[in-house]
Amino acid sequence: MSNKNISHDELQWRDNGNGTGSWEVYVRCDLLGSVKVDIPARNSDGLTPTQEKCLELVRSLSSTMKPELIAALRRYAIEYSGAEPDEDDLSFESESASVPCLEHAETPYVFLYADSPVDDEHGVCFLFRDRDVLCCCHGDESLEFYGWDNTEALEELANAGI
């Protein structure tokens, strides 16, 4: 489904049935166009300042970051397959991102999910801190619960990632 005809910048609360849930919002960025962002939250009171910073991070993703993302994807492809990838395989498409479980961390982090020929089955995921591409990793890594405001776990993932 294409995100281009969906209303943007309107937060929608998705309740998990236990008082927690997530915010969903579509935003635009230069790198990808329209992106659906999922922001886990412990309540529906609105975004915290940290979550707002993470959302701004997604909005700030620019096309000038593409070479850095391709370099991270290449490193992941070599680790994942054990061989240098064909240039044609070093591509990705993304329409969704998520914020890790952050409420009060100082630094914004974001996972960007992507479909890529490098891993057709699971996809890949890029982890950003501020505007830095920390790593490309297995698409399922972004689904893990690292704990609330546990930026140390995210840094460990970045160091273990490619």
Side-chain angles (χ1 to χ4, degrees):
M1 179 175 116
S2 174
N3 294 343
K4 66 182 175 184
N5 295 323
I6 294 174
S7 217
H8 286 71
D9 297 313
E10 293 179 23
L11 284 170
Q12 298 291 319
W13 176 250
R14 306 286 184 235
D15 196 305
N16 289 341
N18 61 2
T20 65
S22 64
W23 291 102
E24 182 180 282
V25 62
Y26 289 84
V27 298
R28 296 188 194 287
C29 69
D30 181 51
L31 176 67
L32 304 165
S34 179
V35 181
K36 177 180 132 183
V37 184
D38 183 64
I39 307 167
R42 293 193 229 208
N43 59 59
S44 61
D45 293 344
L47 299 180
T48 67
T50 298
Q51 292 166 334
E52 288 281 359
K53 282 195 244 179
C54 294
L55 194 53
E56 280 307 309
L57 172 57
V58 175
R59 286 184 179 112
S60 74
L61 299 177
S62 70
S63 57
T64 61
M65 302 173 90
K66 195 146 189 178
E68 195 175 352
L69 291 165
I70 296 298
L73 182 59
R74 179 186 303 280
R75 290 188 299 272
Y76 177 74
I78 291 168
E79 180 72 20
Y80 182 74
S81 69
E84 182 71 32
D86 292 335
E87 289 300 314
D88 295 342
D89 290 340
L90 292 175
S91 63
F92 64 91
E93 289 184 21
S94 177
E95 292 185 345
S96 61
S98 71
V99 172
C101 294
L102 301 177
E103 288 180 313
H104 306 292
E106 291 292 317
T107 306
Y109 290 80
V110 169
F111 286 110
L112 180 67
Y113 307 111
D115 293 324
S116 174
V118 168
D119 187 347
D120 287 332
E121 185 178 348
H122 302 102
V124 297
C125 161
F126 297 99
L127 176 59
F128 293 84
R129 177 186 61 223
D130 285 326
R131 287 184 41 88
D132 297 326
V133 178
L134 296 182
C135 68
C136 179
C137 53
H138 190 280
D140 290 347
E141 292 292 344
S142 61
L143 303 175
E144 292 292 319
F145 176 67
Y146 295 99
W148 286 98
D149 292 319
N150 189 354
T151 57
E152 290 173 11
L154 295 171
E155 290 295 326
E156 286 175 19
L157 173 61
N159 291 331
I162 308 303

